[in-house]
Amino acid sequence: MRVDAMSGTRLLYNLRFRAILYQVIAVGSIVLLGLYLFSNVSQKLAEQNIATGFGYLSREAGFVISQTLIDYKPTDTYGHAILAGIVNTVWVSAWSVVLATIIGLFVGIARLSRNPLLALLAFLYVEALRNVPLLLYLFLWYALIVTSLPAVREAWEILPHVFLSNSGLTVPSLLWTGAHTIVLLALVLGGALGIFVHRRATALRISTGKTRTTWPWVALALLVPPMLAILIVQPDLTVSLPEKGRFRLTGGAQLRPEFTALLVGLALSASAGIAEIVRSGILSVRKGQWEAARALGLRDGLTMRLVILPQALRVIIPPLTSSYLSLFKNSSLAIAIGYPDLVMVSNTTMNQTGQAIEGIAIFMLVYLGLSIMISLFMNWYNSRVALKER
Amino acid sequence: MTTATDIAEAQLKMPVRREPDIGRRLLHRTLKPLIGTPLNAVITLACLWVLWLGAKGAYGWLVTRAVTEGGAQACKVGNGACWPFYEAKLRFMIFGVYPYDEQWRVLLAMILFLGAMGITMIPRFWSRNLLVLWGVTIVATAILIGGGVFGLSYVPTTQWSGLPLSFLLSAVGLAFGFPLGVVLALARSSTLPAIRVIAIIFIEVIRGVPLISILFMASVMLPLFMPSGVTVDKLLRAQIAIIIFAAAYIAEAVRGGLQAIPRGQHEAASAMGLHYWQAMRLIVLPQALKIAIPPLVNISIGFFQDTTLVTIIGLLDFLSTVRTAMTDPNWVGIAVLEGYVFAAFVFLVFSYGMGAYSRFLERRMRLGHD
């Protein structure tokens, strides 16, 4: 009888057996589906004489990319063109993240203001941005820049040497050389050193209980490396100022309409979401915490910085991560207004080579990789601010 | 040295503050947040200035400077809202290239659809009958829009466009994405490793890439994956992409709901002798879905807006028909703001309505739990 229990229909009632059976069925059907699709694809590709593989990446691209951050010429390879697209995507997303965070923080705090007018304005701002599709805003900003701003010849000088026209925003720029990069690195090093010195001072204060004046040391740590770097490499500080000529603006750096519209659209739409996240984060901190901090004699600013924000951050960071991620993914809408981001460059490449599978695979992998990197970084940051439970 | 008694005596000697009358108290309460401190007064003034600018601009554009008669030329001269544009193009913006004489069918379908949606939104009507209602609505709208039976002329999907198309893409996307999403969420929280891994990979890949790339994949790659001779309708391809996208996001919302159900519920179900599917269907999912309703409504709002992306692969959704209306040779460059303002207004009305509904649900749910 015992043997019987393990055979035939009885086997189907064995939980272990069923678990294995389900998994085999799931994996098997996916493998079969994959094989079926693969055979279809290879047949189609053979019929249509489309090459396969990533060999095309080293061929000459031959198309122009209207704005690139890294050097790119039409004679460069497809691989190089795609790299230029990736850099453009990262560039516009990074600036948008910075802008969106700053605006979002202010609007989020303004939503909680005791001044009803300010709270109302912030509310209108958030609702107007959240309830209209981003794509519509992108089209709108782009159309407004191109159609309602004056031509280059009559560009508005909104600040000295800052011109606004239908070909974008023209700002003064620094002629960037290797020496500048070294100074920038020294600045970063100085910042790191400053943080280190500040930490040491705090640790010393906690262990000895004596308060010393520390800011001169921090300032010294901040300033010495960049100063040294400037003295050593002596960077050329020529600023290229845009000037209005008869027909066009000369000099300076130009933020093209596509870039400006995308930057503004992405930053504003994300800022509305971030404002709501900040608001709910601050609201999640109990009122008693404010009262306790006041009872200890802390000023409002200090209360916010030392008591409220550290607790609010725990609530803020996880949704903030997803709004950064969606901003990054939304930058792919660039293709609608013609900013040459990764998607647009890949699209051009696909049209020229006909290799759709490889093209889409590349840009999906890049997005996936960068998304994972952003979320890993934010998770690391989150684990630092998260509640440490003992 | 002040002691407690000193303070008490000092308080006794203080003149008693008269309570101000109600009118003054109200005035005080409204004015204090506005001009209580100098900084507050400055903020108030700045806000008033911004509101004044906005109101003046909107009033001027919509009323005083508006062009109410004449054609495109009149609008070209004026710089206010161009009402003749709306008059000439409103029907096209809403219904797109759907055959002009047959547009009553789409209108009727939209009324049916919005009616069914309105009924669904009222918690009192939440029952199994809703499934029947939706079944009938979907069949009726499909017959009305597509035609080909009951003497209705056949309209190919290439002519489905405008606002009805946006509704269709988001509604069908959600309707099919929902069951798929629930299955994915269950798979992701399954104890069987192979099934869990498959679900995780699917969900994370779809959520990690932009919707555009999935749309591209559907429009460019899907034909390659089909056997020779089989072609899939362009609209259907976009719809499949949207369903897949919806499913991944819905799965995460449902997973949140599943995680909120205490282990005891699973254990109690097992103790009652229910097997996995019974326990899920009767005990766990009803509770989990109830918790997940507010995030699901939020996903739906985002979704309605995200369907505008099908513009990029060349489908004529609402945003796309509005843009097409604006590029009509007679109106090109004249009614830029008009078109976008109209589209934004329509999206604002529907999204804000859904958002308000989501907040109502959240309040209701909270009451239900206490």
Side-chain angles (χ1 to χ4, degrees):
Chain A
M1 291 310 268
R2 286 261 151 195
V3 183
D4 241 39
M6 289 300 289
S7 64
T9 50
R10 291 303 251 169
L11 198 59
L12 272 181
Y13 290 99
N14 182 318
L15 280 181
R16 282 273 298 278
F17 174 78
R18 285 230 294 215
I20 293 168
L21 183 71
Y22 286 149
Q23 298 187 59
V24 169
I25 291 174
V27 174
S29 45
I30 284 182
V31 169
L32 281 181
L33 184 71
L35 282 176
Y36 171 70
L37 294 179
F38 182 75
S39 77
N40 281 341
V41 169
S42 32
Q43 196 189 343
K44 272 271 172 71
L45 292 181
E47 277 172 21
Q48 298 177 2
N49 264 330
I50 299 175
T52 49
F54 291 94
Y56 74 95
L57 286 179
S58 54
R59 292 213 311 267
E60 187 183 310
F63 60 86
V64 181
I65 299 180
S66 60
Q67 38 193 323
T68 53
L69 214 60
I70 57 172
D71 277 331
Y72 168 81
K73 303 179 292 300
T75 47
D76 287 331
T77 60
Y78 281 118
H80 196 82
I82 288 173
L83 186 69
I86 296 175
V87 174
N88 275 349
T89 288
V90 172
W91 179 245
V92 75
S93 321
W95 280 110
S96 305
V97 160
V98 172
L99 259 181
T101 310
I102 296 170
I103 301 174
L105 194 65
F106 279 108
V107 176
I109 293 173
R111 281 271 272 144
L112 292 169
S113 164
R114 260 170 279 172
N115 188 322
L117 276 179
L118 187 62
L120 173 75
L121 272 184
F123 171 78
L124 290 180
Y125 174 87
V126 168
E127 293 300 328
L129 280 165
R130 283 196 341 155
N131 291 316
V132 175
L134 171 59
L135 190 61
L136 199 160
Y137 272 124
L138 289 183
F139 284 139
L140 181 63
W141 301 144
Y142 186 60
L144 285 182
I145 291 175
V146 175
T147 62
S148 54
L149 289 181
V152 180
R153 267 182 301 161
E154 290 121 29
W156 293 338
E157 190 163 8
I158 47 175
L159 290 169
H161 296 293
V162 176
F163 293 95
L164 194 61
S165 71
N166 64 4
S167 56
L169 192 69
T170 312
V171 291
S173 68
L174 197 66
L175 296 173
W176 198 264
T177 57
H180 292 99
T181 316
I182 295 176
V183 174
L184 189 72
L185 286 178
L187 208 66
V188 173
L189 183 74
L193 211 61
I195 292 171
F196 176 73
V197 170
H198 178 76
R199 285 250 176 96
R200 286 292 313 215
T202 313
L204 211 65
R205 198 186 71 216
I206 290 169
S207 62
T208 62
K210 276 184 216 144
T211 316
R212 291 192 191 83
T213 325
T214 53
W215 67 264
W217 299 107
V218 175
L220 216 59
L222 270 173
L223 290 177
V224 168
M227 289 295 184
L228 271 179
I230 288 173
L231 277 180
I232 294 169
V233 295
Q234 302 214 325
D236 190 15
L237 282 178
T238 351
V239 175
S240 162
L241 290 173
E243 296 290 346
K244 203 195 265 188
R246 257 181 94 155
F247 298 108
R248 54 194 212 93
L249 296 165
T250 48
Q254 198 188 27
L255 303 181
R256 305 279 290 247
E258 295 84 23
F259 178 82
T260 316
L262 188 62
L263 178 75
V264 170
L266 284 177
L268 292 190
S269 86
S271 75
I274 292 175
E276 288 299 277
I277 293 168
V278 168
R279 185 175 75 105
S280 69
I282 293 176
L283 279 181
S284 76
V285 180
R286 300 250 168 111
K287 220 178 140 197
Q289 298 284 325
W290 282 99
E291 292 164 353
R294 283 206 192 105
L296 284 171
L298 290 182
R299 279 178 283 116
D300 268 4
L302 276 180
T303 309
M304 193 68 173
R305 193 159 67 81
L306 297 175
V307 181
I308 307 299
L309 270 186
Q311 299 185 69
L313 273 182
R314 286 178 196 146
V315 181
I316 290 174
I317 298 295
L320 193 64
T321 307
S322 31
S323 73
Y324 284 167
L325 282 174
S326 60
L327 187 156
F328 170 64
K329 283 182 282 172
N330 282 338
S331 72
S332 62
L333 297 188
I335 191 173
I337 54 171
Y339 175 72
D341 75 326
L342 172 60
V343 176
M344 188 166 159
V345 173
S346 305
N347 203 32
T348 315
T349 306
M350 282 190 286
N351 287 339
Q352 287 192 1
T353 59
Q355 288 183 275
I357 299 177
E358 290 85 353
I360 289 176
I362 288 176
F363 82 69
M364 281 178 97
L365 277 179
V366 171
Y367 273 105
L368 212 55
L370 287 171
S371 294
I372 290 171
M373 268 165 59
I374 295 174
S375 68
L376 280 182
F377 172 76
M378 293 300 280
N379 281 342
W380 165 80
Y381 185 63
N382 186 38
S383 67
R384 285 201 39 176
V385 296
L387 190 64
K388 305 274 189 307
E389 281 184 283
R390 273 176 272 270
Chain B
M1 210 46 183
T2 41
T3 61
T5 27
D6 286 339
I7 294 171
E9 270 171 30
Q11 277 177 345
L12 278 178
K13 278 178 206 153
M14 273 203 298
V16 181
R17 237 181 85 226
R18 274 228 323 274
E19 272 291 303
D21 55 278
I22 291 178
R24 203 178 276 178
R25 225 160 50 203
L26 260 175
L27 198 69
H28 182 72
R29 205 174 291 159
T30 41
L31 284 185
K32 197 187 160 206
L34 288 175
I35 48 174
T37 62
L39 177 69
N40 238 330
V42 172
I43 291 176
T44 302
L45 278 180
C47 290
L48 281 177
W49 184 65
V50 170
L51 282 172
W52 163 246
L53 278 187
K56 199 178 81 170
Y59 185 76
W61 190 73
L62 276 172
V63 184
T64 48
R65 279 185 283 124
V67 180
T68 47
E69 9 196 273
Q73 287 316 308
C75 290
K76 200 167 191 174
V77 178
N79 63 346
C82 174
W83 294 100
F85 171 73
Y86 291 128
E87 227 166 86
K89 287 289 172 189
L90 190 64
R91 232 173 123 167
F92 181 81
M93 289 198 278
I94 293 177
F95 297 113
V97 297
Y98 199 85
Y100 196 81
D101 295 328
E102 306 286 329
Q103 285 175 0
W104 62 270
R105 281 160 50 182
V106 195
L107 186 66
L108 195 61
M110 267 166 77
I111 292 171
L112 270 180
F113 171 77
L114 290 177
M117 188 131 146
I119 292 173
T120 313
M121 282 165 82
I122 302 168
R124 201 151 58 86
F125 293 128
W126 287 355
S127 69
R128 250 159 242 266
N129 294 338
L130 277 182
L131 288 179
V132 180
L133 174 78
W134 275 103
V136 173
T137 312
I138 288 170
V139 171
T141 45
I143 290 173
L144 274 172
I145 298 179
V149 281
F150 301 128
L152 295 170
S153 60
Y154 170 70
V155 180
T157 56
T158 45
Q159 294 183 355
W160 298 12
S161 47
L163 196 55
L165 183 75
S166 293
F167 280 142
L168 178 92
L169 284 173
S170 41
V172 175
L174 289 168
F176 284 84
F178 183 71
L180 191 57
V182 171
V183 170
L184 276 172
L186 288 177
R188 190 170 182 168
S189 48
S190 155
T191 49
L192 311 177
I195 289 177
R196 197 172 61 230
V197 167
I198 291 170
I200 289 177
I201 291 175
F202 182 85
I203 294 172
E204 292 304 329
V205 167
I206 301 293
R207 280 162 44 92
V209 299
L211 175 55
I212 288 196
S213 63
I214 301 172
L215 285 172
F216 270 138
M217 201 164 95
S219 74
V220 183
M221 269 167 76
L222 198 65
L224 287 176
F225 281 112
M226 289 292 122
S228 305
V230 178
T231 50
V232 185
D233 187 84
K234 193 176 172 188
L235 180 62
L236 185 62
R237 272 183 263 156
Q239 186 68 75
I240 292 172
I242 286 180
I243 290 172
I244 290 176
F245 192 70
Y249 279 81
I250 289 171
E252 285 301 277
V254 174
R255 183 167 75 115
L258 284 175
Q259 282 178 348
I261 306 300
R263 266 188 82 83
Q265 297 286 324
H266 293 264
E267 291 164 354
S270 304
M272 301 275 289
L274 300 181
H275 62 67
Y276 178 80
W277 289 110
Q278 284 174 328
M280 281 300 162
R281 194 166 59 84
L282 300 171
I283 313 283
V284 179
L285 271 181
Q287 301 182 63
L289 290 182
K290 194 178 163 193
I291 297 171
I293 284 178
L296 285 174
V297 175
N298 282 334
I299 289 177
S300 319
I301 301 174
F303 232 73
F304 178 51
Q305 298 184 9
D306 279 346
T307 51
T308 50
L309 265 64
V310 296
T311 305
I312 292 169
I313 58 165
L315 286 180
L316 279 173
D317 75 318
F318 175 54
L319 182 56
S320 199
T321 50
V322 169
R323 277 168 59 79
T324 312
M326 286 154 51
T327 52
D328 180 316
N330 293 326
W331 295 96
V332 67
I334 293 171
V336 176
L337 208 53
E338 279 80 358
Y340 287 128
V341 166
F342 174 67
F345 177 74
V346 171
F347 277 109
L348 200 77
V349 167
F350 282 106
S351 303
Y352 188 80
M354 293 284 280
Y357 177 65
S358 146
R359 286 188 284 278
F360 155 76
L361 271 185
E362 245 162 286
R363 272 199 305 280
R364 203 188 120 91
M365 295 289 155
R366 205 170 297 146
L367 283 179
H369 272 294
D370 287 341

